[in-house]
Amino acid sequence: MIFRINTVVAAAATFCLVSTFSAQAEDLVFTLKNGTNSDLSEFYTSPIGVNEWEEDILGQDVLSAGESVRITIADGRSVCEYDMRFEFTEDSDLDTTTDKANLCELGEYTITE
């Protein structure tokens, strides 16, 4: 009888562990291309409906004109619709730009002037 109880407990623990892993959201991965003539200094995203921007994804890096970078959003959320904010270097004549996109459906997003 002890063997059966341990087997049931082990099976229940395994089920809970598998359920936890399958419920986690996958990372959102896409390529961001700078199709402008200016350097992109900051790139922010946040799910639509969230009133604050997440941290700058580029950090201290700059995405030069014409360059691309692979972006991974690993925020644990299972949403696809994101607001995006693009800020350019001080010597640029471009203003801060915002946009919305379904990032799950995109393989690539190009910012243009």
Short mmCIF file of all heavy atoms in Angstrom, two decimals, residues 14-74:
data_model
loop_
_atom_site.label_atom_id
_atom_site.label_comp_id
_atom_site.label_asym_id
_atom_site.label_seq_id
_atom_site.Cartn_x
_atom_site.Cartn_y
_atom_site.Cartn_z
N THR A 14 4.63 15.11 -10.79
CA THR A 14 5.06 15.21 -12.18
C THR A 14 4.04 15.98 -13.00
O THR A 14 4.40 16.84 -13.82
CB THR A 14 5.27 13.80 -12.78
OG1 THR A 14 6.24 13.12 -11.98
CG2 THR A 14 5.73 13.87 -14.21
N PHE A 15 2.75 15.71 -12.81
CA PHE A 15 1.70 16.42 -13.53
C PHE A 15 1.76 17.92 -13.25
O PHE A 15 1.66 18.73 -14.15
CB PHE A 15 0.32 15.87 -13.17
CG PHE A 15 -0.79 16.64 -13.80
CD1 PHE A 15 -1.10 16.46 -15.14
CD2 PHE A 15 -1.52 17.56 -13.06
CE1 PHE A 15 -2.12 17.18 -15.72
CE2 PHE A 15 -2.54 18.28 -13.64
CZ PHE A 15 -2.84 18.10 -14.98
N CYS A 16 1.94 18.30 -11.99
CA CYS A 16 2.02 19.71 -11.62
C CYS A 16 3.22 20.37 -12.28
O CYS A 16 3.14 21.48 -12.77
CB CYS A 16 2.10 19.88 -10.11
SG CYS A 16 0.55 19.49 -9.27
N LEU A 17 4.34 19.69 -12.31
CA LEU A 17 5.55 20.21 -12.92
C LEU A 17 5.36 20.40 -14.42
O LEU A 17 5.69 21.44 -14.97
CB LEU A 17 6.73 19.27 -12.64
CG LEU A 17 8.11 19.73 -13.04
CD1 LEU A 17 8.47 21.03 -12.32
CD2 LEU A 17 9.14 18.66 -12.74
N VAL A 18 4.80 19.43 -15.09
CA VAL A 18 4.55 19.53 -16.54
C VAL A 18 3.55 20.63 -16.82
O VAL A 18 3.71 21.41 -17.76
CB VAL A 18 4.07 18.17 -17.10
CG1 VAL A 18 3.57 18.30 -18.53
CG2 VAL A 18 5.19 17.15 -17.03
N SER A 19 2.51 20.74 -16.02
CA SER A 19 1.50 21.78 -16.21
C SER A 19 2.11 23.16 -16.07
O SER A 19 1.78 24.08 -16.81
CB SER A 19 0.36 21.62 -15.20
OG SER A 19 -0.32 20.42 -15.43
N THR A 20 3.02 23.32 -15.12
CA THR A 20 3.68 24.61 -14.92
C THR A 20 4.51 24.99 -16.13
O THR A 20 4.46 26.12 -16.61
CB THR A 20 4.58 24.56 -13.66
OG1 THR A 20 3.77 24.24 -12.54
CG2 THR A 20 5.28 25.88 -13.43
N PHE A 21 5.27 24.05 -16.66
CA PHE A 21 6.10 24.36 -17.82
C PHE A 21 5.26 24.65 -19.06
O PHE A 21 5.58 25.54 -19.83
CB PHE A 21 7.08 23.21 -18.12
CG PHE A 21 8.23 23.16 -17.17
CD1 PHE A 21 8.52 22.01 -16.48
CD2 PHE A 21 9.02 24.27 -16.95
CE1 PHE A 21 9.58 21.96 -15.59
CE2 PHE A 21 10.08 24.24 -16.07
CZ PHE A 21 10.36 23.07 -15.38
N SER A 22 4.17 23.94 -19.28
CA SER A 22 3.37 24.17 -20.48
C SER A 22 2.58 25.46 -20.38
O SER A 22 2.19 26.02 -21.39
CB SER A 22 2.44 22.98 -20.73
OG SER A 22 1.51 22.88 -19.68
N ALA A 23 2.35 26.00 -19.18
CA ALA A 23 1.60 27.23 -19.02
C ALA A 23 2.46 28.47 -19.20
O ALA A 23 1.96 29.56 -19.35
CB ALA A 23 0.93 27.25 -17.65
N GLN A 24 3.77 28.31 -19.17
CA GLN A 24 4.66 29.46 -19.30
C GLN A 24 4.64 29.96 -20.74
O GLN A 24 4.56 29.20 -21.69
CB GLN A 24 6.09 29.08 -18.92
CG GLN A 24 6.25 28.81 -17.45
CD GLN A 24 7.66 28.42 -17.10
OE1 GLN A 24 8.48 28.16 -17.96
NE2 GLN A 24 7.95 28.37 -15.82
N ALA A 25 4.73 31.29 -20.88
CA ALA A 25 4.74 31.89 -22.21
C ALA A 25 6.11 31.70 -22.86
O ALA A 25 7.13 31.65 -22.19
CB ALA A 25 4.43 33.38 -22.08
N GLU A 26 6.08 31.60 -24.17
CA GLU A 26 7.33 31.50 -24.91
C GLU A 26 7.90 32.89 -25.12
O GLU A 26 7.16 33.88 -25.15
CB GLU A 26 7.09 30.84 -26.27
CG GLU A 26 6.74 29.37 -26.15
CD GLU A 26 6.65 28.70 -27.51
OE1 GLU A 26 7.32 29.17 -28.45
OE2 GLU A 26 5.90 27.74 -27.61
N ASP A 27 9.22 32.98 -25.30
CA ASP A 27 9.85 34.25 -25.59
C ASP A 27 9.36 34.75 -26.94
O ASP A 27 9.13 33.97 -27.87
CB ASP A 27 11.37 34.10 -25.62
CG ASP A 27 11.95 33.78 -24.26
OD1 ASP A 27 11.24 33.91 -23.25
OD2 ASP A 27 13.14 33.40 -24.21
N LEU A 28 9.22 36.06 -27.05
CA LEU A 28 8.80 36.70 -28.29
C LEU A 28 10.07 37.16 -29.00
O LEU A 28 10.84 37.95 -28.45
CB LEU A 28 7.90 37.88 -27.93
CG LEU A 28 7.18 38.61 -29.01
CD1 LEU A 28 6.32 37.65 -29.83
CD2 LEU A 28 6.31 39.68 -28.40
N VAL A 29 10.32 36.68 -30.21
CA VAL A 29 11.56 36.97 -30.93
C VAL A 29 11.22 37.54 -32.30
O VAL A 29 10.39 37.00 -33.02
CB VAL A 29 12.42 35.70 -31.08
CG1 VAL A 29 13.70 36.02 -31.82
CG2 VAL A 29 12.71 35.07 -29.73
N PHE A 30 11.87 38.66 -32.65
CA PHE A 30 11.70 39.26 -33.97
C PHE A 30 12.95 40.08 -34.29
O PHE A 30 13.78 40.35 -33.44
CB PHE A 30 10.44 40.12 -34.05
CG PHE A 30 10.48 41.35 -33.18
CD1 PHE A 30 10.80 42.59 -33.70
CD2 PHE A 30 10.20 41.27 -31.82
CE1 PHE A 30 10.84 43.72 -32.90
CE2 PHE A 30 10.23 42.38 -31.01
CZ PHE A 30 10.56 43.62 -31.55
N THR A 31 13.08 40.48 -35.55
CA THR A 31 14.20 41.30 -35.99
C THR A 31 13.72 42.75 -36.11
O THR A 31 12.70 43.01 -36.73
CB THR A 31 14.75 40.83 -37.34
OG1 THR A 31 15.20 39.48 -37.19
CG2 THR A 31 15.89 41.70 -37.82
N LEU A 32 14.45 43.66 -35.48
CA LEU A 32 14.16 45.09 -35.58
C LEU A 32 15.16 45.68 -36.56
O LEU A 32 16.37 45.55 -36.39
CB LEU A 32 14.31 45.77 -34.21
CG LEU A 32 14.15 47.29 -34.20
CD1 LEU A 32 12.74 47.69 -34.63
CD2 LEU A 32 14.47 47.84 -32.82
N LYS A 33 14.63 46.31 -37.60
CA LYS A 33 15.49 46.93 -38.62
C LYS A 33 15.30 48.44 -38.58
O LYS A 33 14.18 48.93 -38.55
CB LYS A 33 15.15 46.41 -40.02
CG LYS A 33 16.04 46.99 -41.08
CD LYS A 33 15.79 46.38 -42.43
CE LYS A 33 16.77 47.00 -43.42
NZ LYS A 33 16.57 46.50 -44.77
N ASN A 34 16.41 49.16 -38.58
CA ASN A 34 16.38 50.61 -38.61
C ASN A 34 16.43 51.06 -40.07
O ASN A 34 17.48 51.11 -40.68
CB ASN A 34 17.56 51.20 -37.82
CG ASN A 34 17.51 52.71 -37.76
OD1 ASN A 34 16.66 53.35 -38.37
ND2 ASN A 34 18.42 53.28 -37.00
N GLY A 35 15.26 51.36 -40.63
CA GLY A 35 15.16 51.80 -42.02
C GLY A 35 15.22 53.30 -42.18
O GLY A 35 14.84 53.83 -43.23
N THR A 36 15.68 54.00 -41.14
CA THR A 36 15.80 55.46 -41.21
C THR A 36 17.24 55.83 -41.56
O THR A 36 18.12 54.97 -41.65
CB THR A 36 15.44 56.12 -39.86
OG1 THR A 36 16.47 55.83 -38.90
CG2 THR A 36 14.08 55.63 -39.36
N ASN A 37 17.48 57.14 -41.70
CA ASN A 37 18.84 57.64 -41.92
C ASN A 37 19.48 58.12 -40.63
O ASN A 37 20.51 58.78 -40.65
CB ASN A 37 18.81 58.80 -42.94
CG ASN A 37 18.45 58.30 -44.33
OD1 ASN A 37 18.91 57.24 -44.75
ND2 ASN A 37 17.60 59.04 -45.02
N SER A 38 18.86 57.79 -39.50
CA SER A 38 19.35 58.22 -38.19
C SER A 38 19.63 57.01 -37.31
O SER A 38 19.08 55.93 -37.52
CB SER A 38 18.31 59.11 -37.51
OG SER A 38 18.07 60.27 -38.27
N ASP A 39 20.46 57.22 -36.30
CA ASP A 39 20.77 56.16 -35.35
C ASP A 39 19.70 56.08 -34.27
O ASP A 39 19.31 57.10 -33.69
CB ASP A 39 22.14 56.40 -34.71
CG ASP A 39 23.28 56.30 -35.71
OD1 ASP A 39 23.09 55.68 -36.77
OD2 ASP A 39 24.36 56.85 -35.43
N LEU A 40 19.24 54.87 -34.00
CA LEU A 40 18.24 54.62 -32.96
C LEU A 40 18.97 54.39 -31.65
O LEU A 40 19.80 53.48 -31.54
CB LEU A 40 17.41 53.40 -33.34
CG LEU A 40 16.27 52.99 -32.42
CD1 LEU A 40 15.20 54.08 -32.37
CD2 LEU A 40 15.66 51.68 -32.88
N SER A 41 18.70 55.22 -30.65
CA SER A 41 19.43 55.12 -29.39
C SER A 41 18.65 54.39 -28.30
O SER A 41 19.24 53.81 -27.39
CB SER A 41 19.83 56.51 -28.88
OG SER A 41 18.67 57.31 -28.68
N GLU A 42 17.31 54.41 -28.37
CA GLU A 42 16.50 53.76 -27.35
C GLU A 42 15.28 53.11 -27.99
O GLU A 42 14.67 53.68 -28.90
CB GLU A 42 16.04 54.76 -26.29
CG GLU A 42 17.20 55.38 -25.52
CD GLU A 42 16.76 56.48 -24.59
OE1 GLU A 42 15.78 56.27 -23.84
OE2 GLU A 42 17.40 57.54 -24.61
N PHE A 43 14.93 51.92 -27.51
CA PHE A 43 13.77 51.19 -28.01
C PHE A 43 13.04 50.59 -26.81
O PHE A 43 13.60 49.81 -26.05
CB PHE A 43 14.20 50.09 -28.98
CG PHE A 43 13.08 49.18 -29.40
CD1 PHE A 43 11.92 49.67 -29.96
CD2 PHE A 43 13.20 47.81 -29.23
CE1 PHE A 43 10.89 48.83 -30.35
CE2 PHE A 43 12.18 46.94 -29.62
CZ PHE A 43 11.02 47.47 -30.19
N TYR A 44 11.80 51.00 -26.63
CA TYR A 44 10.98 50.55 -25.51
C TYR A 44 9.76 49.80 -26.05
O TYR A 44 9.23 50.13 -27.11
CB TYR A 44 10.46 51.74 -24.69
CG TYR A 44 11.55 52.60 -24.11
CD1 TYR A 44 12.04 53.70 -24.80
CD2 TYR A 44 12.09 52.31 -22.86
CE1 TYR A 44 13.03 54.51 -24.26
CE2 TYR A 44 13.08 53.11 -22.31
CZ TYR A 44 13.55 54.21 -23.02
OH TYR A 44 14.54 54.99 -22.48
N THR A 45 9.31 48.81 -25.30
CA THR A 45 8.06 48.13 -25.61
C THR A 45 7.28 47.95 -24.31
O THR A 45 7.86 47.97 -23.23
CB THR A 45 8.27 46.73 -26.22
OG1 THR A 45 8.92 45.90 -25.25
CG2 THR A 45 9.05 46.77 -27.49
N SER A 46 6.00 47.79 -24.46
CA SER A 46 5.17 47.34 -23.36
C SER A 46 3.86 46.85 -23.96
O SER A 46 3.44 47.32 -25.02
CB SER A 46 4.96 48.43 -22.31
OG SER A 46 4.00 49.35 -22.69
N PRO A 47 3.25 45.87 -23.33
CA PRO A 47 1.98 45.37 -23.86
C PRO A 47 0.95 46.49 -23.93
O PRO A 47 0.93 47.39 -23.08
CB PRO A 47 1.56 44.32 -22.83
CG PRO A 47 2.82 43.90 -22.16
CD PRO A 47 3.67 45.13 -22.13
N ILE A 48 0.12 46.47 -24.96
CA ILE A 48 -0.94 47.47 -25.10
C ILE A 48 -1.80 47.43 -23.84
O ILE A 48 -2.14 46.37 -23.34
CB ILE A 48 -1.77 47.19 -26.37
CG1 ILE A 48 -0.92 47.48 -27.60
CG2 ILE A 48 -3.06 48.01 -26.38
CD1 ILE A 48 -1.60 47.17 -28.92
N GLY A 49 -2.10 48.60 -23.32
CA GLY A 49 -2.91 48.70 -22.11
C GLY A 49 -2.09 48.89 -20.85
O GLY A 49 -2.63 49.23 -19.81
N VAL A 50 -0.79 48.67 -20.92
CA VAL A 50 0.10 48.93 -19.78
C VAL A 50 0.53 50.39 -19.90
O VAL A 50 0.98 50.83 -20.95
CB VAL A 50 1.32 47.99 -19.79
CG1 VAL A 50 2.32 48.38 -18.71
CG2 VAL A 50 0.87 46.55 -19.63
N ASN A 51 0.38 51.15 -18.84
CA ASN A 51 0.59 52.60 -18.91
C ASN A 51 2.03 53.06 -18.71
O ASN A 51 2.29 54.25 -18.71
CB ASN A 51 -0.31 53.31 -17.89
CG ASN A 51 -1.77 53.15 -18.25
OD1 ASN A 51 -2.12 53.06 -19.42
ND2 ASN A 51 -2.61 53.11 -17.25
N GLU A 52 2.96 52.14 -18.54
CA GLU A 52 4.36 52.51 -18.36
C GLU A 52 5.22 51.71 -19.34
O GLU A 52 4.92 50.56 -19.65
CB GLU A 52 4.82 52.23 -16.93
CG GLU A 52 4.13 53.08 -15.91
CD GLU A 52 4.64 52.81 -14.49
OE1 GLU A 52 5.71 52.18 -14.35
OE2 GLU A 52 3.97 53.23 -13.55
N TRP A 53 6.29 52.33 -19.81
CA TRP A 53 7.22 51.64 -20.70
C TRP A 53 8.10 50.70 -19.90
O TRP A 53 8.49 51.00 -18.78
CB TRP A 53 8.10 52.64 -21.46
CG TRP A 53 7.32 53.47 -22.42
CD1 TRP A 53 7.01 54.80 -22.28
CD2 TRP A 53 6.74 53.05 -23.64
NE1 TRP A 53 6.27 55.21 -23.35
CE2 TRP A 53 6.08 54.16 -24.20
CE3 TRP A 53 6.69 51.84 -24.32
CZ2 TRP A 53 5.41 54.09 -25.42
CZ3 TRP A 53 6.02 51.77 -25.53
CH2 TRP A 53 5.38 52.88 -26.07
N GLU A 54 8.41 49.56 -20.49
CA GLU A 54 9.39 48.65 -19.90
C GLU A 54 10.77 49.28 -20.09
O GLU A 54 10.90 50.35 -20.67
CB GLU A 54 9.32 47.28 -20.60
CG GLU A 54 7.93 46.66 -20.58
CD GLU A 54 7.50 46.15 -19.21
OE1 GLU A 54 8.37 45.78 -18.42
OE2 GLU A 54 6.29 46.15 -18.95
N GLU A 55 11.83 48.62 -19.66
CA GLU A 55 13.18 49.19 -19.78
C GLU A 55 13.63 49.26 -21.25
O GLU A 55 13.10 48.56 -22.11
CB GLU A 55 14.17 48.38 -18.96
CG GLU A 55 14.36 46.97 -19.46
CD GLU A 55 15.25 46.15 -18.55
OE1 GLU A 55 14.94 46.05 -17.36
OE2 GLU A 55 16.25 45.61 -19.05
N ASP A 56 14.60 50.12 -21.51
CA ASP A 56 15.16 50.28 -22.85
C ASP A 56 15.81 48.97 -23.29
O ASP A 56 16.76 48.50 -22.66
CB ASP A 56 16.19 51.42 -22.83
CG ASP A 56 16.95 51.58 -24.14
OD1 ASP A 56 16.46 51.11 -25.19
OD2 ASP A 56 18.03 52.19 -24.10
N ILE A 57 15.31 48.39 -24.35
CA ILE A 57 15.81 47.10 -24.82
C ILE A 57 17.23 47.20 -25.37
O ILE A 57 18.03 46.29 -25.21
CB ILE A 57 14.85 46.50 -25.88
CG1 ILE A 57 13.54 46.12 -25.21
CG2 ILE A 57 15.47 45.29 -26.57
CD1 ILE A 57 12.47 45.62 -26.14
N LEU A 58 17.56 48.33 -25.98
CA LEU A 58 18.90 48.48 -26.55
C LEU A 58 19.96 48.72 -25.49
O LEU A 58 21.14 48.50 -25.73
CB LEU A 58 18.92 49.63 -27.56
CG LEU A 58 18.05 49.45 -28.80
CD1 LEU A 58 18.14 50.69 -29.69
CD2 LEU A 58 18.46 48.20 -29.58
N GLY A 59 19.55 49.18 -24.32
CA GLY A 59 20.52 49.47 -23.27
C GLY A 59 21.49 50.54 -23.71
O GLY A 59 21.07 51.61 -24.16
N GLN A 60 22.78 50.26 -23.66
CA GLN A 60 23.79 51.24 -24.07
C GLN A 60 24.13 51.13 -25.55
O GLN A 60 24.89 51.93 -26.07
CB GLN A 60 25.05 51.07 -23.23
CG GLN A 60 24.81 51.42 -21.77
CD GLN A 60 26.09 51.36 -20.96
OE1 GLN A 60 27.19 51.31 -21.48
NE2 GLN A 60 25.94 51.40 -19.65
N ASP A 61 23.55 50.15 -26.23
CA ASP A 61 23.81 49.97 -27.66
C ASP A 61 23.02 50.98 -28.48
O ASP A 61 22.03 51.54 -28.03
CB ASP A 61 23.43 48.56 -28.10
CG ASP A 61 24.31 47.49 -27.46
OD1 ASP A 61 25.48 47.80 -27.13
OD2 ASP A 61 23.83 46.37 -27.27
N VAL A 62 23.48 51.19 -29.71
CA VAL A 62 22.81 52.05 -30.68
C VAL A 62 22.59 51.22 -31.93
O VAL A 62 23.49 50.48 -32.36
CB VAL A 62 23.67 53.30 -30.99
CG1 VAL A 62 23.09 54.10 -32.14
CG2 VAL A 62 23.81 54.17 -29.75
N LEU A 63 21.41 51.33 -32.52
CA LEU A 63 21.12 50.65 -33.78
C LEU A 63 21.29 51.67 -34.89
O LEU A 63 20.45 52.56 -35.08
CB LEU A 63 19.70 50.06 -33.76
CG LEU A 63 19.32 49.20 -34.96
CD1 LEU A 63 20.24 47.99 -35.10
CD2 LEU A 63 17.88 48.75 -34.85
N SER A 64 22.40 51.56 -35.60
CA SER A 64 22.73 52.52 -36.64
C SER A 64 21.77 52.41 -37.82
O SER A 64 21.12 51.38 -38.02
CB SER A 64 24.16 52.31 -37.12
OG SER A 64 25.06 52.53 -36.06
N ALA A 65 21.71 53.47 -38.61
CA ALA A 65 20.87 53.51 -39.81
C ALA A 65 21.18 52.31 -40.69
O ALA A 65 22.34 52.01 -40.95
CB ALA A 65 21.09 54.81 -40.56
N GLY A 66 20.14 51.60 -41.12
CA GLY A 66 20.29 50.47 -42.02
C GLY A 66 20.63 49.15 -41.34
O GLY A 66 20.63 48.11 -41.99
N GLU A 67 20.92 49.17 -40.05
CA GLU A 67 21.28 47.93 -39.34
C GLU A 67 20.06 47.23 -38.78
O GLU A 67 19.00 47.82 -38.62
CB GLU A 67 22.27 48.23 -38.21
CG GLU A 67 23.64 48.61 -38.69
CD GLU A 67 24.63 48.74 -37.54
OE1 GLU A 67 24.23 48.83 -36.36
OE2 GLU A 67 25.83 48.75 -37.85
N SER A 68 20.25 45.96 -38.45
CA SER A 68 19.20 45.14 -37.85
C SER A 68 19.73 44.48 -36.59
O SER A 68 20.93 44.27 -36.45
CB SER A 68 18.75 44.04 -38.81
OG SER A 68 18.22 44.58 -39.98
N VAL A 69 18.81 44.14 -35.69
CA VAL A 69 19.17 43.42 -34.47
C VAL A 69 18.04 42.46 -34.14
O VAL A 69 16.87 42.76 -34.38
CB VAL A 69 19.44 44.40 -33.30
CG1 VAL A 69 18.20 45.16 -32.90
CG2 VAL A 69 20.03 43.68 -32.10
N ARG A 70 18.40 41.33 -33.62
CA ARG A 70 17.40 40.34 -33.19
C ARG A 70 16.97 40.69 -31.77
O ARG A 70 17.81 40.81 -30.88
CB ARG A 70 18.00 38.94 -33.26
CG ARG A 70 17.01 37.84 -33.00
CD ARG A 70 17.71 36.50 -33.21
NE ARG A 70 16.86 35.44 -32.80
CZ ARG A 70 16.24 34.62 -33.64
NH1 ARG A 70 16.40 34.78 -34.93
NH2 ARG A 70 15.48 33.66 -33.19
N ILE A 71 15.68 40.87 -31.57
CA ILE A 71 15.12 41.27 -30.28
C ILE A 71 14.40 40.08 -29.65
O ILE A 71 13.64 39.40 -30.33
CB ILE A 71 14.12 42.43 -30.44
CG1 ILE A 71 14.76 43.65 -31.09
CG2 ILE A 71 13.45 42.77 -29.12
CD1 ILE A 71 15.75 44.39 -30.22
N THR A 72 14.65 39.85 -28.38
CA THR A 72 13.93 38.83 -27.62
C THR A 72 13.25 39.51 -26.45
O THR A 72 13.91 40.16 -25.64
CB THR A 72 14.88 37.74 -27.10
OG1 THR A 72 15.54 37.12 -28.21
CG2 THR A 72 14.12 36.69 -26.31
N ILE A 73 11.93 39.37 -26.39
CA ILE A 73 11.16 39.86 -25.24
C ILE A 73 10.80 38.64 -24.42
O ILE A 73 9.98 37.82 -24.82
CB ILE A 73 9.91 40.64 -25.69
CG1 ILE A 73 10.31 41.84 -26.54
CG2 ILE A 73 9.09 41.06 -24.47
CD1 ILE A 73 9.14 42.60 -27.12
N ALA A 74 11.43 38.52 -23.27
CA ALA A 74 11.22 37.37 -22.39
C ALA A 74 10.59 37.86 -21.10
O ALA A 74 11.16 37.76 -20.03
CB ALA A 74 12.54 36.67 -22.13
#
